[in-house]
Amino acid sequence: ETNVKMNELFDAWKTAGSAGHEVDEKLWEEFNGLRKQFFDARQKFFDERDEQLKKSGETKQKLIEEAKAIVEKNDFGRSAADRMKALDKEWRAAGYSGKDINDSLWDTFTKTKEAFWSAKKAIFTKAVEADIEKAQKEIDKINKELEDLEYRLEVAPNPTMKKDVEDTIYVKRNEKTDKEKELEELKKKASE
């Protein structure tokens, strides 16, 4: 807007007519000096902005390279996840890099992050599924033990043996309840 206004002022200057050679020279010198000051300041502004855009682009490219290196390591533990989260914050702090460059860098960064989080989720899901399977096997084992104990309770020859079996059944039922709760929690984790 200021550039348009400056050009309008220059057009108005050209159509204003002459005030005499000596006056015109002094006025032109002053007017042109102000124009030069404006254009120098404008050039400085755009040079600084372009430098900032360039630095932002370079910083973002480094963040992309670091994110790719994290993905390539196939380490999806807590420290890697924390670093990926930190890269997001650093990305925002890097600022704008210009529409064309910024969009292209963002696409690459996003794809790299998605590769990391997808792989991390797949590993987590696989681990939870293994835990679910293990918990279910333990419940099945306890059920068989309970069946065996129920039979022993029926055939126990004396009250002391019956009491021991009843106590063991009580303990096994508590174990089963705990395992069933654990199994439900694991299933809940798997569905998240």
Side-chain angles (χ1 to χ4, degrees):
E1 290 178 15
T2 54
N3 191 51
V4 169
K5 184 66 175 167
M6 188 59 72
N7 287 333
E8 288 172 356
L9 289 171
F10 185 61
D11 290 341
W13 176 273
K14 292 189 284 185
T15 59
S18 177
H21 183 67
E22 281 185 37
V23 174
D24 276 348
E25 285 296 318
K26 283 184 180 180
L27 292 173
W28 174 250
E29 199 174 292
E30 184 180 355
F31 180 70
N32 198 40
L34 292 170
R35 285 179 65 232
K36 183 177 179 343
Q37 186 179 352
F38 167 78
F39 287 117
D40 288 348
R42 185 182 76 158
Q43 186 62 47
K44 182 181 177 192
F45 168 80
F46 284 117
D47 288 346
E48 288 172 357
R49 185 197 66 180
D50 291 347
E51 184 61 29
Q52 178 56 42
L53 294 176
K54 180 182 173 188
K55 283 181 184 176
S56 172
E58 290 169 353
T59 299
K60 289 179 177 182
Q61 186 61 48
K62 288 177 184 173
L63 295 173
I64 290 169
E65 296 308 316
E66 185 175 349
K68 285 180 178 180
I70 290 170
V71 171
E72 289 171 7
K73 284 182 184 176
N74 286 324
D75 172 10
F76 302 100
R78 180 176 297 280
S79 63
D82 289 346
R83 185 60 192 139
M84 287 299 282
K85 290 175 187 175
L87 291 177
D88 265 333
K89 291 177 184 176
E90 291 174 31
W91 183 276
R92 286 188 292 278
Y96 189 61
S97 333
K99 182 168 176 34
D100 294 335
I101 294 172
N102 204 68
D103 290 351
S104 173
L105 291 171
W106 177 248
D107 288 344
T108 304
F109 188 59
T110 301
K111 287 176 185 170
T112 305
K113 290 189 315 174
E114 287 173 359
F116 175 84
W117 294 113
S118 293
K120 182 172 178 59
K121 182 173 175 139
I123 289 169
F124 173 78
T125 301
K126 187 176 179 180
V128 170
E129 287 171 355
D131 289 344
I132 287 171
E133 186 177 329
K134 180 181 174 191
Q136 186 60 59
K137 284 180 181 178
E138 289 173 1
I139 291 170
D140 292 345
K141 180 183 173 200
I142 292 170
N143 282 334
K144 287 180 183 174
E145 290 171 351
L146 283 169
E147 283 178 30
D148 181 53
L149 289 167
E150 301 272 341
Y151 174 74
R152 283 204 260 158
L153 185 62
E154 289 177 23
V155 296
N158 64 52
T160 305
M161 288 180 79
K162 281 187 178 207
K163 175 71 173 127
D164 288 343
V165 173
E166 287 172 345
D167 290 345
T168 306
I169 288 172
Y170 177 78
V171 169
K172 286 294 175 184
R173 285 185 179 154
N174 285 335
E175 281 181 33
K176 181 180 175 183
T177 300
D178 291 344
K179 277 294 166 192
E180 287 172 338
K181 286 178 185 175
E182 179 184 328
L183 181 62
E184 286 308 309
E185 286 297 316
L186 289 168
K187 287 179 178 179
K188 189 176 175 183
K189 267 187 186 180
S191 67
E192 292 176 348

